[in-house]
Amino acid sequence: MGNVVSRPADVLRLAVVVGALGVVFGDIGTSPIYTLQTVFSPTDPHPVPATSENVLGVVSLVFWSVMLIVTVTYVLLAMRVDHDGEGGIMALITLLRRWAARGSTRITMTLAGLGLFGAALFLGDSMITPAISVLSAVQGIEVVNPSFAEWVVPLTVVIIVGLFAAQRFGTAAVGRLFGPVMITWFTAIAACGVWGVANEPGILAALSPTYAISFLAGRFELAFFTLGAVVLAVTGAEALYADMGHFGRRPISVGWIFLVLPACTLSYLGQGALILQDRANLSAPFFLLAPDWALIPMVVLATAATVIASQAVITGAFSVTAQAAQLGYLPRLRIVHTSRSTYGQIYVPRINWLLMVAVLALVLTFRSPTSLAYAYGMAVTGTITITTILFFYVAWHTWHVPRWVLAALAAVLLTIDLLFVAANLTKLAHGAWIPLAIAVVAFTVMTTWQRGLEVVAARRAAMEGSLRTFVEGLSPPDAAVAVARGTAIFLNRGRDTAPLALRTHLERHHVRHDRLAVVAVEIDVAPWRTDEDRVTVVHLGPGDAGVTHVTVRFGYAERPDVPTALARHVPEQTGRHLDLEQATYYLSRVEIRLGDEPAMPAWRRRLFVATSYLAADAAEHFGLPRDRTVLLGARIDI
């Protein structure tokens, strides 16, 4: 009976692992397509001669880089730190923000800012990944027939345009196919790798770390520059951590250790064996590893796998920008939820089209994955290094582990990460400046918006005045203000000030509803809030003249649907009847104009005002009914 009972749970766990394979490993699972080809590319500014010693050293360096960065740093260590089940650099930032809110040190706030820059680097990664991945896969048609070379860029453009155009439909239906496709992909590259190793078994010696160490120690000048391309083998490592909240640590770890890591290792070993056999195979070792009869199917499968990898990183960019907006780093963005059953599937139109334009620009500018690889490595190494720093800081303060153990691990892993960063800095003139420029722009926009929002909030609070004082002025009823039947709900940013819309409504119309509710929406630094503490109701003022104040809390990963939250929780917590089905919602619309605010430089004020035009409609953002929503405005100069 015990075996019978355990089967449903086993099937469920297997399904989660398959789902993780389809979403989490697309980026890192397609790295074998271009990593070794880039390392030995003759167009590299620091080319690596394809001698037997160099091939064994590079393959060993690739394998041990994957083991130390992905397996040790992420799978064994970083994924043990989460924030309410969520992982990734945004989870680490929210942990640091929570500590900073409790009066923690300046170091904590500085590291939170560093983490924000890491999130900005990820946005650069999300632009480069579709370009380099799809270009690498489509380039396989050159192996089928060299005359097809002129079609590589046009086909890549068509695939990328189709990929971004399909985002508005969501990934619910296609997502069910991702897992099986990626299982087929990993099985195929593993089989090709086995065939290559069987023809040149000597490549197995590269599994020994001595080859990686001797390559680094004996040819450091050459090996150092090689690290700029070797890092391509660990692209997508951040996805393992970032998607932990969707699948859990165990399914991702199982998928990595038992399928993805062995398949990628065999592919790298097989390609190395192929290069040892014939240096002419350097042109496309991944595709040349496949038998002639399987070449076209492999190109098709590689294209499908890179589309899946691109889909995963695009979805990740949607999530990061949505979470940044919820945390106050970006203005409200229009977010479309594309699945009724799966919460995390979202579509952010403006980010989608911005990404598409950026990806197409990269494809048309660089026109080859080898050229793009120089830019790609900078984004990857920067994000990995920042994640490692934040992880060890959190572990230092929360883990009950001897400090010397953490210090030793941090020293080893950060030394490796910083070597990769330094190697990629040598590629600045060859494209590595692109992700840094993207990150600097994104970081500047986010920090400017955060600072500007603080200034606007202070100005707005002064205009609004105290809510309690305002409510006290309503009782006894003022003869100049008529009372109409009905329920009015005024959305507000806080719990202490009176909404601008409420003040304006009374001053202009001299009438108020007999049932008033002020609703303050709070976005927490936690990704989710439980129903138990979703809503807090406080009655301000006596009897019918009073105002009901409602605080509604949402996690930064949740959709702030105010009417649904009120309908679900408010009736049972208030003795004053609020007719939520017929209530009129009032929003305070603030127009931000350029002024002479001394707290911000002129260029940052202009940037803040320009960014404010990107804000989505508040009624849609909070899920308010269009036919029962009224906007009343005010102006604030900054």
Side-chain angles (χ1 to χ4, degrees):
M1 290 297 292
N3 292 335
V4 174
V5 173
S6 67
R7 285 177 185 171
D10 293 339
V11 171
L12 180 60
R13 283 193 290 268
L14 179 61
V16 175
V17 172
V18 172
L21 288 169
V23 175
V24 176
F25 300 107
D27 193 358
I28 198 168
T30 53
S31 296
I33 299 176
Y34 45 77
T35 299
L36 290 186
Q37 180 180 344
T38 303
V39 170
F40 293 106
S41 173
T43 62
D44 191 290
H46 305 94
V48 179
T51 64
S52 297
E53 285 185 325
N54 287 348
V55 171
L56 287 169
V58 166
V59 173
S60 182
L61 195 58
V62 167
F63 173 72
W64 285 103
S65 296
V66 171
M67 288 298 293
L68 290 172
I69 293 177
V70 183
T71 306
V72 176
T73 301
Y74 280 94
V75 176
L76 297 182
L77 294 176
M79 289 177 64
R80 296 182 183 275
V81 172
D82 66 89
H83 186 255
D84 291 348
E86 293 290 316
I89 199 165
M90 289 301 294
L92 293 173
I93 291 172
T94 52
L95 280 172
L96 294 173
R97 276 172 56 110
R98 176 170 289 180
W99 292 351
R102 295 172 182 170
S104 191
T105 63
R106 181 176 294 181
I107 295 176
T108 303
M109 298 178 66
T110 301
L111 289 177
L114 182 64
L116 187 64
F117 186 76
L121 275 172
F122 178 78
L123 294 179
D125 185 2
S126 65
M127 296 176 186
I128 301 172
T129 294
I132 190 172
S133 298
V134 179
L135 261 177
S136 300
V138 176
Q139 199 176 51
I141 64 175
E142 292 185 37
V143 181
V144 177
N145 189 330
S147 65
F148 291 162
E150 62 184 24
W151 290 98
V152 170
V153 172
L155 280 175
T156 300
V157 169
V158 170
I159 291 171
I160 287 172
V161 170
L163 174 64
F164 282 97
Q167 293 302 310
R168 62 191 180 95
F169 299 110
T171 58
V174 183
R176 289 191 290 269
L177 300 175
F178 284 3
V181 169
M182 292 309 296
I183 290 175
T184 304
W185 166 255
F186 289 122
T187 303
I189 67 173
C192 291
V194 169
W195 180 82
V197 171
N199 289 326
E200 188 68 40
I203 192 65
L204 291 173
L207 294 176
S208 169
T210 56
Y211 282 88
I213 294 171
S214 61
F215 182 62
L216 279 171
R219 303 172 179 83
F220 182 76
E221 292 184 2
L222 180 64
F224 174 74
F225 293 114
T226 302
L227 291 175
V230 169
V231 74
L232 298 176
V234 299
T235 57
E238 179 68 18
L240 277 69
Y241 190 22
D243 287 323
M244 189 173 70
H246 296 289
F247 299 99
R249 181 173 67 89
R250 185 175 177 81
I252 292 175
S253 302
V254 169
W256 169 253
I257 293 172
F258 291 101
L259 179 59
V260 181
L261 175 60
C264 290
T265 300
L266 286 169
S267 180
Y268 289 125
L269 289 171
Q271 291 179 59
L274 198 67
I275 295 170
L276 287 177
Q277 285 182 307
D278 188 350
R279 302 304 185 266
N281 293 324
L282 284 170
S283 59
F286 176 82
F287 288 106
L288 291 173
L289 194 58
D292 292 341
W293 60 267
L295 186 55
I296 294 177
M298 181 60 79
V299 172
V300 174
L301 185 59
T303 304
T306 54
V307 167
I308 291 172
S310 302
Q311 174 65 55
V313 78
I314 291 168
T315 303
F318 291 163
S319 298
V320 168
T321 52
Q323 291 170 10
Q326 293 283 57
L327 290 173
Y329 293 121
L330 289 173
R332 284 191 307 266
L333 298 170
R334 179 171 174 260
I335 297 174
V336 179
H337 291 258
T338 59
S339 173
R340 296 188 178 185
S341 58
T342 304
Y343 176 80
Q345 294 180 9
I346 61 174
Y347 167 61
V348 186
R350 286 181 174 172
I351 299 300
N352 183 67
W353 302 122
L354 175 64
L355 286 176
M356 188 190 78
V357 171
V359 172
L360 290 176
L362 289 171
V363 169
L364 295 174
T365 300
F366 288 89
R367 305 184 73 84
S368 78
T370 303
S371 301
L372 266 172
Y374 306 141
Y376 200 18
M378 193 71 252
V380 173
T381 55
T383 304
I384 288 174
T385 303
I386 292 172
T387 299
T388 304
I389 292 171
L390 299 189
F391 158 73
F392 275 107
Y393 182 79
V394 172
W396 184 272
H397 289 278
T398 59
W399 283 17
H400 301 292
V401 175
R403 294 290 177 87
W404 67 268
V405 174
L406 287 176
L409 277 172
V412 171
L413 296 177
L414 282 174
T415 298
I416 295 170
D417 293 344
L418 291 173
L419 273 174
F420 278 115
V421 170
N424 277 276
L425 286 174
T426 65
K427 313 287 187 182
L428 281 176
H430 305 281
W433 62 270
I434 292 176
L436 288 178
I438 294 170
V440 168
V441 170
F443 181 79
T444 302
V445 170
M446 288 191 286
T447 53
T448 298
W449 182 259
Q450 182 190 33
R451 176 58 184 148
L453 211 57
E454 292 173 355
V455 174
V456 169
R459 293 279 185 88
R460 184 170 174 172
M463 295 171 62
E464 292 172 335
S466 169
L467 177 59
R468 287 193 174 272
T469 302
F470 181 81
V471 171
E472 290 171 359
L474 297 178
S475 181
D478 190 341
V481 178
V483 179
R485 293 180 60 84
T487 298
I489 297 176
F490 293 84
L491 265 66
N492 201 26
R493 288 181 176 270
R495 65 181 70 184
D496 299 321
T497 61
L500 283 175
L502 178 55
R503 285 187 177 276
T504 304
H505 182 70
L506 292 182
E507 291 172 0
R508 293 184 180 179
H509 303 292
H510 305 288
V511 65
R512 72 175 185 85
H513 296 74
D514 61 347
R515 284 163 287 182
L516 290 178
V518 175
V519 175
V521 178
E522 292 185 356
I523 304 300
D524 197 7
V525 294
W528 315 100
R529 292 304 295 254
T530 61
D531 286 343
E532 288 74 14
D533 60 353
R534 173 78 65 191
V535 168
T536 300
V537 176
V538 177
H539 299 304
L540 305 176
D544 294 334
V547 174
T548 300
H549 185 277
V550 183
T551 302
V552 185
R553 302 176 185 86
F554 298 98
Y556 68 78
E558 295 182 283
R559 180 186 179 188
D561 189 334
V562 172
T564 299
L566 293 178
R568 183 176 299 173
H569 299 284
V570 169
E572 62 190 35
Q573 295 191 39
T574 177
R576 295 169 180 162
H577 177 63
L578 298 177
D579 186 2
L580 297 175
E581 293 185 0
Q582 299 299 323
T584 301
Y585 291 85
Y586 289 85
L587 286 171
S588 304
R589 182 175 183 177
V590 176
E591 179 186 352
I592 302 171
R593 300 188 308 179
L594 192 63
D596 55 357
E597 169 59 47
M600 297 177 67
W603 69 268
R604 297 197 80 172
R605 294 200 303 270
R606 293 189 182 95
L607 177 59
F608 179 76
V609 172
T611 307
S612 68
Y613 291 112
L614 300 176
D617 178 70
E620 180 181 2
H621 181 74
F622 292 114
L624 306 183
R626 288 279 184 182
D627 57 338
R628 292 186 282 118
T629 300
V630 178
L631 273 67
L632 294 174
R635 290 179 178 176
I636 294 180
D637 294 334
I638 185 172

